[in-house]
Every structure is written in structure tokens, then in C-alpha cells.
Amino acid sequence: MRLLRSTDLALRVLMRLAVADGTQPTTRDVAAGVEVPYTHAAKVVAQLQHLGLLDARRGRGGGLTLTEKGRTASVGALVRVFEGEGDVVDCEGPAPCPLHTACRLRVALRRAQEAFYVSLDPLTVADMVAAPTGPLLLDIARR
């Protein structure tokens, strides 16, 4: 299974903010730190703010801060939100699969997808920045 770029970016933004050590980086700072275009980061930051996982303040003294909800958010739940409810394969697209009504593969892939999410459910953003990741993220942020 391959994650959407927005899912990957959301996880990286939250991880970066989890090690912010009292600073409030801007969306531009975070975008540069995780090496993505600002416009992509801004869209993801807006969605994370809407979910209550981070606070974003504009202007002088502004920046991004991770909320407690963001720190303790389940990685599995976050991936589900960003990936959406769709199946791994599109059986009903413009050219529907002739096996659609009796396909066992689709069911197996759906179970595998859910197992993937379940394996991420117990992990939190805070878990993801434990050593050695957190110190490395701090080092990258300081550069």
C-alpha cells in the first residue's frame, strides 16, 4: 500500500512540530525543513488545524504549535482521515471490473488495508518522535 503525499506530509509536519522545543515555526519553515513546496504544506497545515491537531497563528509572534490532541493522536486514525474511506483498488471506475459482484480479491485487499491501519492505531505522534528520530528532527530543524 502506498500513502498519499498529503498523508506523508501530515505525519512529517506533526512530527516536526512535536520536537519544536518551545519555538513556533511557520508553515514556510516546516515546508523547508521537510523539503516540500509551501503550497502543499499550507493545505496540509490547514487540514491539521481543522482537525484540532495544531494551532496556527498569523503575524508577528505567530507560528505553528502542536496541540495536546496532536501529540496523542493515533497515527492509524490520522492515516485513515487523510487516505479516505476508499478501497485499495477501484472496482467500479469508468470500466467496472466484471468480477465486481463476486470478487474475493477486493475483500482480501480491504482486510489487508484494515490490518495496516490497525497496526498503526496504537502509535501516537509522540511515539514517532522518540529517540533516535526526535533528536535527528531537531538537528534538521536547526540547520
Side-chain angles (χ1 to χ4, degrees):
M1 189 172 147
R2 179 176 221 151
L3 295 179
L4 297 172
R5 290 179 65 174
S6 59
T7 306
D8 174 49
L9 180 53
L11 293 169
R12 291 194 286 154
V13 166
L14 291 174
M15 290 171 64
R16 168 60 183 90
L17 293 177
V19 297
D21 69 355
T23 61
Q24 291 185 330
T26 65
T27 302
R28 281 197 197 286
D29 295 336
V30 172
V34 296
E35 299 178 357
V36 298
Y38 167 77
T39 54
H40 289 83
K43 289 176 188 176
V44 168
V45 163
Q47 190 168 1
L48 291 169
Q49 183 180 17
H50 178 74
L51 293 169
L53 303 176
L54 62 81
D55 287 325
R57 281 185 252 148
R58 294 177 181 226
R60 182 173 247 185
L64 305 174
T65 55
L66 189 64
T67 64
E68 187 56 32
K69 181 179 178 183
R71 187 170 304 286
T72 60
S74 162
V75 173
L78 183 66
V79 171
R80 279 183 186 90
V81 167
F82 274 84
E83 291 294 309
E85 293 296 318
D87 287 327
V88 176
V89 292
D90 184 13
C91 301
E92 299 176 23
C97 175
L99 299 175
H100 174 71
T101 59
C103 183
R104 297 178 80 189
L105 176 62
R106 183 179 54 168
V107 173
L109 290 172
R110 185 65 164 146
R111 272 196 308 255
Q113 180 183 29
E114 187 55 31
F116 172 73
Y117 292 146
V118 167
S119 72
L120 294 175
D121 282 341
L123 297 172
T124 66
V125 172
D127 294 333
M128 302 309 301
V129 296
T133 306
L136 180 59
L137 279 168
L138 271 174
D139 186 46
I140 291 170
R142 288 184 183 130
R143 284 186 216 159

